[in-house]
């Protein structure tokens, strides 16, 4: 029997005597976990424009195995974006609940989010908050429009052109995508508290905070150097957010 789950995946399930679907076989579950882990790594490094073949190669499975679980890249992207958005929302709630000082709460959220790498996997719809228009170079692939803005210019040199204007309201259709509305609301509370306490620049928006956690230091071969570079970059960005 074929069923379709909440992510739009079509899979075959065997009915047991009580009418319930049997769970995935151990090897199928293991392959799914490998694919999801590989997708997080590949999309985190290259953006959501990375091909499914790269995901399959990283997971050490055939690309057909990936497509059996996720019939299109859109389905896989949505699955990863939903999981990472939920993780960021939980990190923001934890910071709100465990830090009394507004700046400490905001900086804790940023440090935790950057360390987890979840910010690089936010849905592009969320990262377009505050960006009214992104102009792509002629001939750029369609997928480039779905990659976070800071990744769009990679590979196009001086041809890439971006224009950022004043913050705008986020359309409901974008907010509803992958639980984005809840994330924006919780992070907005962190931003409002820090601003009202006089510790955050008055012009800083939720968009700015999300862009901070979506920005990564260049990949370095040594893990310790990578961690140090990421921490240093975040220190600089945090200093830029603080009021003078």
């Amino acid at each position: 029997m074929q069923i379709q789950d909440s992510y739009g995946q079509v899979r075959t399930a065997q009915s047991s005597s009580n009418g319930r679907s049997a769970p995935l076989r151990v090897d199928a579950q293991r392959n799914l976990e490998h694919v999801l882990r590989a997708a997080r790594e590949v999309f985190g490094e290259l953006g959501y424009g990375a091909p499914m073949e790269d995901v399959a190669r990283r997971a050490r499975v055939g690309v057909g195995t990936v497509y059996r679980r996720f019939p299109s890249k859109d389905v896989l992207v949505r699955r990863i974006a939903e999981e990472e958005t939920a993780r960021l929302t939980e990190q923001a709630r934890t910071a709100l609940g465990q830090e009394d000082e507004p700046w400490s709460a905001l900086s804790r959220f940023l440090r935790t989010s950057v360390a987890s790498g979840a910010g690089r996997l936010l849905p592009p719809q969320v990262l377009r908050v505050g960006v009214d228009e992104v102009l792509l170079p002629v001939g750029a692939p369609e997928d480039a429009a779905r990659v976070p803005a800071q990744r769009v210019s990679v590979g196009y040199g001086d041809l890439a052109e971006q224009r950022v204007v004043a913050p705008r309201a986020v359309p409901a259709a974008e907010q509803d995508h992958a639980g984005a509305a809840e994330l924006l609301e919780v992070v907005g509370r962190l931003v409002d508290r820090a601003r009202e306490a006089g510790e955050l620049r008055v012009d800083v928006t939720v968009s700015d905070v999300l862009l901070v956690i979506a920005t990564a230091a260049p990949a370095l071969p040594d893990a310790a150097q990578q961690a140090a570079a990421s921490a240093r970059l975040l220190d600089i960005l945090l200093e830029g957010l603080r009021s003078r």
Side-chain angles (χ1 to χ4, degrees), residues 6 11 17 30 43 79 82 89 108 131 149 174 178 184 194 209 211 243:
S6 59
R11 60 186 177 87
S17 58
R30 187 185 304 115
F43 293 149
R79 170 71 175 265
E82 286 180 352
T89 301
R108 171 176 174 162
V131 179
E174 293 183 10
L184 294 172
V209 172
L211 288 175
S243 62

Side-chain angles (χ1 to χ4, degrees), residues 135-145 152-156 159-160:
L135 302 178
L136 298 177
V138 176
E142 291 182 3
D143 278 348
V152 168
S153 60
V154 174
Y156 299 108
L159 292 177

Side-chain angles (χ1 to χ4, degrees), residues 164-187:
V164 180
V165 300
R168 62 175 173 81
V170 186
E174 293 183 10
Q175 290 186 1
D176 291 342
H177 180 85
E182 185 178 9
L183 174 64
L184 294 172
E185 188 274 329
V186 179
V187 176

Side-chain angles (χ1 to χ4, degrees), residues 129-134 149 162-167 207 211:
V129 178
V131 179
D132 186 62
E133 183 178 5
V134 176
Q162 299 180 14
R163 186 173 68 187
V164 180
V165 300
S207 169
L211 288 175

Side-chain angles (χ1 to χ4, degrees), residues 31-121:
N31 283 342
L32 174 60
E33 292 171 356
H34 289 169
V35 168
L36 290 173
R37 185 181 305 113
R40 292 186 189 97
E41 294 174 358
V42 170
F43 293 149
E45 295 168 9
L46 305 176
Y48 283 124
M52 294 281 266
E53 288 77 9
D54 284 3
V55 174
R57 191 176 302 112
R58 185 73 62 93
R60 296 184 177 181
V61 299
V63 70
T65 298
V66 179
Y67 277 109
R68 276 194 294 274
R69 293 298 303 164
F70 303 95
S72 73
K73 193 173 83 168
D74 285 344
V75 175
L76 177 57
V77 165
R78 185 174 181 85
R79 170 71 175 265
I80 298 298
E82 286 180 352
E83 291 182 352
E84 300 308 307
T85 299
R87 178 151 59 132
L88 282 171
T89 301
E90 183 58 31
Q91 290 170 351
R93 290 193 186 282
T94 298
L96 276 171
Q98 297 185 2
E99 296 287 347
D100 294 330
E101 295 295 326
W103 179 256
S104 296
L106 180 60
S107 61
R108 171 176 174 162
F109 167 64
L110 287 169
R111 293 187 187 281
T112 303
S113 300
V114 169
S116 71
R120 297 192 299 273
L121 293 164

